[in-house]
Amino acid sequence: MLEKTGKKYNIDKIKKAYLVAADLHKGQYRNSGEEYISHPIAVAEIVASLELDTDSICAALLHDTVEDCGSKVSVGVIKKEFGDDVAALVDGLTKLVSIPFEDKQEQQVENLRKMFLAMSKDIRVIFIKLCDRLHNMRTLDAKPEYKRRQTALETMHVYAPLAHRLGMQRIRAELEMLSLSYLDPIGFNEVKSDIEKRYGKNRDFLEKAKASIDMKLRESGIHFSLEGRVKSVYSIYRKMYAQNKSFDEIYDFYALRVIVDTEPECYSVLGVIHDMFKFMPGRFKDYISTPKANNYRSLHTTVIGRDGIPFEVQIRTWEMQQIAEYGLAAHWKYKSGEVSREEVDRKLEWISKLVENENETRDPDEFINALKVDIFQDETFVFTPKSDVITLPTGATVIDFAYAIHSEIGNHMVGAKINGNIVPIDRVVQNGEIVEVLTSQASKGPSRDWLKIVKTGEARTKIRQWFKKEARADNILIGKGEIDKIFRRFQYQLTDSQRQGILSSVASRMNISGTADDLYNAVGYGGVSVTRLQSKIKDEYDKLIKSSDAAVLPVSQTPVAVPKQERSRSGVIITGIEGGGSIEVKFARCCNPIPGDPIIGFITKGYGISIHNINCPNVKQNRIQAGGTERFVPVSWDNSVKPDSFSLTVQVVSKESTALLANITAVLADMKVPVSGIYMPKSDQGQMKLNVTVAVKDLAAAKAIAAKLKAISGVSDVSRVMAGE
Ligand code: MN
């Protein structure tokens, strides 16, 4: 059959593909009992009938080898034997197989179709896939009942519309007809027998009309071909059920098609037809001057024949006929040698026209779900583990995915899996991947770093919302720090009540109601910009100075409540300052010192003393920035106090392993160490990093944990995490 097309095929390559496929499928059988290789051969024959190229035929022969033959063959082997193109086609086809389909909402189905297109970078993948599906539909009888229904549904909703949009009407019509016969066998047979009855009654109608037209056209001297047909069962079924028409209301039940050589001849033929028959107003369509979105071109007119029976006449050139039946695939032909990829791309331009023309078309139904290949570059389609399709902007990460599912999922996210493998949470998702979010109720919530990673506004908003609500205590501290900084910057010397007065005026001007904490909170989560706040504080201060004669007290006279507490509640003795036991102490969150660590105190301007690990990068930096060491004080651990627990974060570096997370949690559970957070930072290929935050009582406990973690197989390093690292 290849010889028949008169094209230059690489027959040796096709033979080799056949031999390889036959060998790999040896011993495999289809449900029908036939040898499996009969299926790829049939698919290759359909592909050849579309006059696709050698590589497409090879890919059709090999299309099930990677999927069905398991470890026997890989895409790499195909690449070596048949080249990059065939390998890419087979790989594309194999990936499409794993797209799951269930009976879904229309929007989900539309997303599935888009995903198909987005995943098939090479349009030949879709062509071959449609041929594969066509053969599966032709042999669907051999499958069990539930499988038949599911396959037919999928064909009707995904494959037939794709064939339609690619302009492959012959394949589309057969797919629809076969699907319908499985989905509604009763309705299908009813319409079929109606057609037979009707056609039987007017058996000679079409033949007579054809004969009279044939005679007239011969007289005109135009070279033409004429064929008559009865509308397909599916299109009549659809008109009757979807458009609720009766059998008599279907005007294009009979149709004649005239095919000529040139475009002007189309219009000449139209003139001849309209001369012979009365035409139905409003039913003439010129798709030659205004092609349909799928590149379909033809003249359509409906005329009244003998006994007042209407029939449709379609007039087109041979080229238009090819495109009508095979659509884009018709463009793939190489008339003289190989058609270049660029030329095909140029022909694909009509797809982008779909988008432009969408609003100005006469038949909106045709375009409702129009194919928009060229806008897909902005969208990525991925699956949830329950195979719902989620659409994300291209470049979105697994964090975006988590928040797209639900804010609770995002807020409790501790890691993610893609196609079953653990990935870093900043991993960008790709078309067709199955993404699973790992959550833990122990998670402390999102990290502020995520705001820099996420791509979608939705995720960013939800993360901010979390910080607004859940991290109130932290926000208040951060906000208070910012406000303290402003007062220090201006070097205002105010009493506590003056300061409170200014802040409450500022808060009410900014529509923040409640206590000072609410203002701090708003500053902390970023709801109020520090710059705006600064100018408002300055305003209020100026007002205060002008309106009040009250002396502004210098700092030294500010009354301060001195707590009478001698013991260090905190477990830290401040040796450098007299009465150190009464000073507020807080452990720096950057390095989280634990008892046993070498520590140092830093005199903050707002909250007393913060305790850092001597090796903390912030200490080194502050020593430079603060211009010396005068704000650092020596401190030591007070061993007489037993504090509850300290937070420790360690980084575990391992070679890639799906079991790592499970192994770590098992070790920690075994040691009865409470885990308060797990985070997976970005890591190099082949490597995995996991940051685990646990509660410990001292350095000895921390060392014991590190030793156990280091003993896990695959782990190469365990180290303490401090800020700045
Ligand atoms: Mn197949």
Side-chain angles (χ1 to χ4, degrees):
M1 90 169 273
L2 290 181
E3 285 77 8
K4 207 173 65 186
T5 66
K7 290 169 90 178
K8 282 181 266 167
Y9 285 106
N10 183 341
I11 302 291
D12 288 342
K13 192 172 181 180
I14 293 170
K15 263 188 198 151
K16 186 168 140 195
Y18 161 74
L19 290 172
V20 169
D23 183 49
L24 288 166
H25 288 299
K26 197 174 232 150
Q28 294 175 350
Y29 296 90
R30 304 197 85 212
N31 289 57
S32 62
E34 281 176 290
E35 285 199 44
Y36 195 89
I37 189 66
S38 65
H39 166 63
I41 290 174
V43 176
E45 277 171 357
I46 303 171
V47 168
S49 76
L50 292 175
E51 300 188 29
L52 295 182
D53 59 354
T54 297
D55 284 348
S56 301
I57 295 171
C58 291
L61 286 165
L62 295 162
H63 81 272
D64 278 333
T65 56
V66 175
E67 165 73 4
D68 294 349
C69 304
S71 56
K72 270 191 186 171
V73 69
S74 71
V75 172
V77 172
I78 292 175
K79 192 170 181 167
K80 214 162 69 197
E81 296 290 321
F82 298 97
D84 289 352
D85 264 28
V86 175
L89 292 174
V90 172
D91 189 41
L93 285 158
T94 306
K95 282 187 179 134
L96 283 189
V97 170
S98 55
I99 290 187
F101 177 87
E102 280 150 40
D103 200 354
K104 286 185 184 300
Q105 304 278 314
E106 177 53 27
Q107 188 50 47
Q108 281 287 311
V109 174
E110 178 56 20
N111 282 339
L112 265 180
R113 290 183 208 129
K114 286 184 184 170
M115 179 188 272
F116 256 77
L117 291 159
M119 283 184 73
S120 327
K121 302 230 165 64
D122 189 329
I123 199 92
R124 287 178 293 177
V125 170
I126 296 279
F127 293 155
I128 303 167
K129 187 69 197 169
L130 286 169
C131 298
D132 179 30
R133 177 49 59 114
L134 181 58
H135 185 247
N136 284 334
M137 286 302 294
R138 284 177 182 169
T139 53
L140 196 57
D141 251 344
K143 293 276 181 194
E145 163 63 25
Y146 78 94
K147 188 79 191 153
R148 272 184 248 165
R149 211 191 134 68
Q150 199 211 338
T151 307
L153 205 58
E154 186 183 43
T155 303
M156 190 67 104
H157 288 308
V158 180
Y159 292 89
L162 278 177
H164 173 54
R165 280 169 215 173
L166 294 172
M168 305 163 87
Q169 301 314 335
R170 183 171 279 195
I171 286 185
R172 166 212 174 183
E174 193 177 343
L175 288 175
E176 282 172 344
M177 189 268 288
L178 290 165
S179 300
L180 183 65
S181 72
Y182 287 103
L183 291 173
D184 182 2
I186 295 168
F188 176 82
N189 286 322
E190 244 172 47
V191 172
K192 203 170 153 195
S193 78
D194 278 353
I195 292 172
E196 270 153 19
K197 260 188 251 155
R198 175 88 165 242
Y199 188 64
K201 203 168 71 185
N202 299 298
R203 192 163 287 282
D204 61 342
F205 174 79
L206 257 186
E207 288 312 313
K208 289 259 170 70
K210 227 173 118 177
S212 62
I213 291 172
D214 187 85
M215 208 170 73
K216 280 277 182 213
L217 288 179
R218 272 173 207 278
E219 286 170 16
S220 74
I222 296 169
H223 177 242
F224 68 94
S225 156
L226 181 61
E227 52 189 58
R229 67 189 180 103
V230 171
K231 204 100 183 146
S232 83
V233 176
Y234 176 73
S235 63
I236 295 197
Y237 177 94
R238 207 179 49 181
K239 285 199 171 162
M240 289 176 70
Y241 290 88
Q243 299 176 21
N244 208 15
K245 283 184 177 166
S246 77
F247 209 77
D248 294 324
E249 288 173 280
I250 296 165
Y251 297 124
D252 48 5
F253 178 76
Y254 294 110
L256 280 170
R257 186 175 295 153
V258 187
I259 305 170
V260 293
D261 293 331
T262 68
E263 226 177 89
E265 284 171 349
C266 293
Y267 292 95
S268 306
V269 171
L270 182 74
V272 171
I273 304 282
H274 280 178
D275 239 24
M276 294 174 69
F277 304 94
K278 207 170 157 256
F279 71 95
M280 277 176 81
R283 290 199 51 91
F284 169 67
K285 285 175 186 135
D286 182 354
Y287 294 122
I288 291 182
S289 61
T290 315
K292 286 197 192 187
N294 61 11
N295 226 21
Y296 175 85
R297 297 176 79 208
S298 187
L299 297 176
H300 287 192
T301 185
T302 302
V303 297
I304 315 288
R306 193 196 67 194
D307 299 335
I309 299 172
F311 65 98
E312 187 183 64
V313 182
Q314 302 176 346
I315 309 159
R316 57 181 76 151
T317 65
W318 285 104
E319 197 190 339
M320 293 173 196
Q321 167 70 0
Q322 281 287 311
I323 290 167
E325 295 215 318
Y326 302 114
L328 267 189
H331 287 308
W332 211 270
K333 300 173 162 196
Y334 37 110
K335 282 164 189 141
S336 51
E338 200 93 21
V339 165
S340 70
R341 189 63 65 82
E342 290 73 40
E343 187 177 347
V344 173
D345 286 346
R346 196 169 47 74
K347 300 240 161 130
L348 279 169
E349 263 175 32
W350 65 266
I351 291 177
S352 58
K353 284 195 201 125
L354 271 178
V355 184
E356 291 161 24
N357 296 342
E358 198 165 18
N359 299 323
E360 53 191 56
T361 159
R362 284 165 296 184
D363 185 1
D365 282 354
E366 288 229 32
F367 299 91
I368 281 175
N369 299 315
L371 157 74
K372 298 173 184 169
V373 166
D374 66 333
I375 62 164
F376 289 163
Q377 59 199 28
D378 300 333
E379 287 176 281
T380 298
F381 307 91
V382 293
F383 287 109
T384 67
K386 285 182 184 154
S387 69
D388 280 329
V389 180
I390 303 290
T391 309
L392 292 166
T394 296
T397 64
V398 286
I399 305 177
D400 292 293
F401 175 86
Y403 279 101
I405 304 287
H406 198 279
S407 46
E408 279 302 294
I409 304 279
N411 290 337
H412 290 105
M413 173 174 188
V414 291
K417 283 183 180 177
I418 285 182
N419 297 340
N421 301 316
I422 289 201
V423 296
I425 54 174
D426 59 354
R427 161 77 142 68
V428 171
V429 299
Q430 308 289 342
N431 273 317
E433 287 180 335
I434 300 167
V435 186
E436 186 184 345
V437 178
L438 306 173
T439 59
S440 159
Q441 284 310 308
S443 152
K444 277 199 282 186
S447 148
R448 284 185 201 269
D449 293 340
W450 292 9
L451 290 169
K452 291 174 215 144
I453 297 168
V454 295
K455 168 99 179 171
T456 56
E458 186 187 8
R460 200 165 289 124
T461 307
K462 284 176 173 173
I463 294 170
R464 286 221 182 92
Q465 267 167 7
W466 186 90
F467 279 112
K468 181 176 173 179
K469 275 198 207 125
E470 305 288 324
R472 187 175 159 90
D474 280 356
N475 292 334
I476 290 174
L477 278 180
I478 293 166
K480 187 166 183 300
E482 291 293 343
I483 288 175
D484 285 346
K485 258 194 233 161
I486 294 172
F487 279 103
R488 278 202 305 276
R489 198 172 298 137
F490 290 146
Q491 302 196 311
Y492 292 155
Q493 299 187 332
L494 297 165
T495 64
D496 267 7
S497 70
Q498 284 171 328
R499 184 182 149 123
Q500 291 310 323
I502 288 176
L503 289 181
S504 72
S505 312
V506 168
S508 71
R509 277 178 63 184
M510 293 180 130
N511 291 323
I512 296 162
S513 56
T515 64
D517 279 357
D518 291 302
L519 177 64
Y520 296 150
N521 183 37
V523 177
Y525 74 77
V528 167
S529 96
V530 174
T531 335
R532 267 183 73 207
L533 189 71
Q534 190 164 301
S535 68
K536 294 247 160 41
I537 287 177
K538 191 171 184 317
D539 278 5
E540 290 301 320
Y541 177 80
D542 293 346
K543 261 194 237 166
L544 179 76
I545 299 302
K546 278 183 200 134
S547 69
S548 156
D549 291 327
V552 177
L553 296 172
V555 160
S556 58
Q557 288 172 19
T558 307
V560 175
V562 180
K564 301 265 183 280
Q565 198 177 8
E566 287 307 314
R567 290 273 324 216
S568 61
R569 278 169 305 160
S570 57
V572 172
I573 301 165
I574 292 137
T575 42
I577 294 177
E578 215 178 319
S582 66
I583 290 176
E584 200 181 332
V585 163
K586 120 180 161 37
F587 292 92
R589 303 178 118 250
C590 47
C591 51
N592 290 314
I594 52 180
D597 277 337
I599 47 175
I600 190 161
F602 179 74
I603 306 167
T604 69
K605 288 185 177 167
Y607 332 101
I609 289 177
S610 86
I611 307 299
H612 288 259
N613 189 312
I614 277 182
N615 300 315
C616 172
N618 284 341
V619 169
K620 289 172 196 158
Q621 211 185 351
N622 262 313
R623 279 184 155 156
I624 301 158
Q625 280 181 355
T629 54
E630 75 257 25
R631 287 175 64 193
F632 287 94
V633 287
V635 294
S636 60
W637 295 103
D638 181 354
N639 293 325
S640 67
V641 175
K642 282 222 158 54
D644 311 340
S645 64
F646 289 81
S647 174
L648 166 79
T649 302
V650 291
Q651 180 165 87
V652 181
V653 180
S654 159
K655 63 173 198 250
E656 244 171 298
S657 148
T658 48
L660 182 64
L661 188 60
N663 287 340
I664 289 175
T665 46
V667 163
L668 295 173
D670 215 38
M671 295 177 79
K672 299 206 164 41
V673 175
V675 179
S676 59
I678 293 177
Y679 168 69
M680 191 168 294
K682 204 182 165 110
S683 57
D684 302 328
Q685 278 231 315
Q687 210 188 39
M688 269 176 84
K689 288 178 184 166
L690 261 178
N691 288 4
V692 190
T693 304
V694 295
V696 292
K697 64 179 205 323
D698 56 23
L699 195 59
K703 284 185 172 155
I705 291 168
K708 289 264 187 178
L709 290 177
K710 204 154 182 184
I712 294 174
S713 99
V715 170
S716 57
D717 188 41
V718 176
S719 58
R720 184 111 163 244
V721 177
M722 283 190 205
E725 282 184 352

